[in-house]
Amino acid sequence: MSEAGLTRDAFLGGRVQAWQPAKGYRAGTDPVFLAAACPARPGEAVLELGCGVGVASLCLGARVEGLHISGVERQLAYADLARRNGLDVVEADLTALPPDLRARSFDHVMANPPYFAEGDGTPASDVGREGAFREDTPLSAWIETARARLKPKGWLSLIQLAERLPECLTALSRGFGSVAVLPVQSRAGRSAGRVLIRARKGGKAPFRLLAPFLVHEQPHHLSDGDDYTALAAAVLRDGASIDFQ
């Protein structure tokens, strides 16, 4: 990507600065919410599958000091930007990871898999955006790769469309437990459009469906101001974590 085709954008109130394409897939709030949902602690190892330009990993690293974060991204242009943003990235398809990465295990894996199944909707004209939003690797393969790379009792954090929650739960039934689902609701009175999911490899705790995470205060979009709830603002601007308790 040429310099003219890039923007440098601020996240977490400016604590994170990330280069990303001016057109194509651009990180918004979802990777920030994903980072906030990951329960990593200082000194632990984290792997992000499909990291894009690295915004989720960068936001997590800004919140938790001393993490060892690695990313996997198959699109060369995005992998290069993630490296420019300071992330350790392996360019690979998650179903064919290189041997040195397959030899490693992690305390945490996080991922924002493509939201749309193959064949759903109209393809995007931009290749990068299409690759980010429409899968050609099944959602179950993302979860299986995460399971294989996690240490025993390691945590998987996901963000996905609410309508695909049944697929996620089916895939998580193989090797995961202690599953908690947090619906992400844009405004009061609306259905949750996203879900944040946390699951533990080999976990035994019962399934939990948590009260929704409400993003905006007002029932309708405001033309002036973002009207974030206090909790959403703390996550998006201050790097607060999302409590799954």
Side-chain angles (χ1 to χ4, degrees):
M1 296 181 184
S2 67
E3 291 294 317
L6 301 177
T7 63
R8 194 164 189 242
D9 301 301
F11 298 86
L12 304 187
R15 292 169 59 193
V16 169
Q17 301 282 334
W19 291 99
Q20 54 180 345
K23 296 181 180 179
Y25 172 72
R26 290 175 54 78
T29 59
D30 287 356
V32 185
F33 289 146
L34 175 61
C38 180
R41 295 178 294 182
E44 292 184 326
V46 182
L47 177 66
E48 183 182 2
L49 299 177
C51 67
V53 302
V55 170
S57 289
L58 295 170
C59 289
L60 178 60
R63 175 169 62 86
V64 184
E65 295 182 354
L67 293 176
H68 307 282
I69 304 177
S70 301
V72 174
E73 174 54 50
R74 71 175 186 173
Q75 297 193 71
L76 173 60
Y78 288 85
D80 284 344
L81 283 175
R83 294 187 189 100
R84 181 172 177 175
N85 289 331
L87 189 63
D88 175 24
V89 179
V90 174
E91 183 193 338
D93 190 290
L94 62 89
T95 62
L97 298 178
D100 58 340
L101 188 54
R102 293 201 307 270
R104 299 170 60 190
S105 57
F106 297 83
D107 301 288
H108 301 271
V109 173
M110 60 180 184
N112 180 180
Y115 286 150
F116 304 108
E118 186 177 7
D120 285 356
T122 303
S125 58
D126 180 84
V127 174
R129 185 176 178 84
E130 176 70 8
F133 281 112
R134 193 176 318 281
E135 70 181 27
D136 57 16
T137 299
L139 185 53
S140 59
W142 287 72
I143 292 173
E144 171 55 26
T145 298
R147 187 201 62 77
R149 298 279 55 80
L150 279 169
K151 298 177 181 178
K153 303 301 182 182
W155 289 98
L156 170 62
S157 301
L158 292 171
I159 187 167
Q160 184 53 261
L161 290 182
E163 66 193 57
R164 303 196 71 184
L165 177 58
E167 290 177 71
C168 292
L169 295 178
T170 297
L172 289 168
S173 68
R174 297 183 288 273
F176 286 95
S178 306
V179 178
V181 175
L182 178 64
V184 180
Q185 187 176 353
S186 63
R187 300 180 190 276
R190 299 188 184 183
S191 299
R194 308 278 194 269
V195 286
L196 285 162
I197 304 170
R198 186 184 290 178
R200 196 169 200 180
K201 182 176 178 177
K204 301 298 182 183
F207 173 84
R208 293 184 298 138
L209 178 62
L210 306 176
F213 178 96
L214 187 62
V215 180
H216 296 285
E217 289 278 10
Q218 302 300 321
H220 303 289
H221 175 71
L222 300 180
S223 58
D224 55 339
D226 52 37
D227 79 319
Y228 288 128
T229 62
L231 180 54
V235 170
L236 294 170
R237 295 176 180 148
D238 304 326
S241 62
I242 293 177
D243 188 359
F244 270 62
Q245 299 306 315

